[in-house]
Amino acid sequence: MIPVRGFDGATVAVLGLGRSGLTAARALRAGGATVLAWDDGARGREAAEAEGFETRDLTRAGAFEGVACLVTSPGIPHLYPAPHPAIAAALAAGVAVDNDIGLFFRSLGWNGEAPRVVAITGSNGKSTTSALLHHVLTQAGRRAHLAGNIGRGVLDLDPPGEGDVIVLELSSYQTELARSLTPDVAVFTNLSPDHLDRHAGLGGYFAAKRRLFAEGGPDRTVIGVDEPEGRFLAGQLQEAQGDDRVIRVSTAKLETPGWQVTARKGWLAETRKGRQVASVDLRDIPGLSGRHNHQNACCAWAAARSLGLAPREIEAGLRSYPGLPHRSQVVAERSGVRFVNDSKATNVDAAAQALAAFPAIRWICGGLQKEGGLDALAAHYGHVVKAYVIGREAGAFAVALGPGVEAEVCGDMATAVARAAAEAQAGETVLLAPAAASFDQYDNFERRGEDFAARVAALE
């Protein structure tokens, strides 16, 4: 555990007592703070009380008297569509609001050691990029830790030592609120519409992610420039053309000078000062199939190069990477049919990338539809043999797909897997890429992916 510094003898309130909240409470106590804990659910409060924390209803009048800071979990709204009553009360009382990421950065280095921190954000691919970079580092013999929005809560890490590397996956919820953001290397994978209700639109969503680059002034940035927002961000961060502190990443040819890592037609290429210095054929790497994963590989490559790894070390790590569950994960092959779990494709852009990765798809999709509609998927319907729609509103989702794809309303995963498997032909892929959130039928996308894998395993 990393003890939180700067609150010794002070009282700090913690709102939300899930994984990150309870860990933050423990780390605050380890640093000498007095913790007041609150969760809207009785189970969370009981868990805190069992560990000796005092609970206080933070929505009651006067709850923040004598409180120095409120630490909140990322899933709790703090501004849009409306702040949680406890957060509104803290702001009205003039109490600072932070999260575990902010506490981590303010506490780093108090033991005199200086680990390096790589922070990775973006709409899609940040989990794969984070896990891939961590894998590359460990395979190269570097002591690395994976935390944040993936793996362990960041304050649950053991205090890092000199030369360690901490790889953090950060969501927009985390970057928007953290009061301290000071990574050594910051990575922006891409941007597509997501979480628009929490950020009052696309501009607010981009602004939340931009804070990672604007607040702390990282030594080096890796920026995906295939969208306008990425190109704008790279332009803001560079001091002049060819500024090596900004590494541009793209799946297209770049005309800009400077340091860049691109992936075109399955080939990764690193270019510096107009000269290609390394290249890797990504097409035969099972854990990195598809254009979107090639972009992830470019981001991880650029970050690893920023940390001083040689091209041969990085390539070895890419080739041994096993992939992440629920992200283009091959769960079975039966009679020439591949079954792929991409349950993490919870938005339209991620689903479009999954559809582009395979030529003939039996597509399982549907769930809690997000804002923006499904029109962006139409460009990839040529890869879809048939769609099998799940979710409580499966009929409406099937209609929203439009006339460009044959769709069968299945309702639940068991029916969808059975129908797709029965109709699939050799050479086709049965792909779960929902293009929707899971909360209408599952607790999270992991449970949805696990159900898909279990149904596939149970096929006769």
Side-chain angles (χ1 to χ4, degrees), residues 79-102:
L79 185 57
Y80 301 115
H84 185 280
I87 296 178
L91 295 173
V95 173
V97 181
D98 206 346
N99 60 17
D100 62 333
I101 302 301

Side-chain angles (χ1 to χ4, degrees), residues 7 12 27 47 51 73 118 145 162 197-198 266 270 272 303 307 346:
F7 291 109
V12 179
E51 295 193 29
S73 295
V118 181
H145 314 265
E162 188 77 33
D197 58 333
R198 275 291 297 267
E270 179 188 355
R272 298 186 71 172
L307 296 170
T346 59

Side-chain angles (χ1 to χ4, degrees), residues 332-339 421 456-460:
E333 291 195 26
R334 302 166 57 91
S335 303
V337 177
R338 179 183 298 178
F339 293 80
V456 171
L459 291 171
E460 296 181 356

Side-chain angles (χ1 to χ4, degrees), residues 365-369 389-397 409-413 437-443:
C365 58
L368 191 62
Q369 191 173 340
V389 187
I390 63 173
R392 292 180 185 172
E393 303 296 332
F397 196 99
V409 175
C410 296
D412 57 53
M413 187 69 73
S438 59
F439 305 125
D440 58 335
Q441 292 183 315
Y442 300 93
D443 289 341

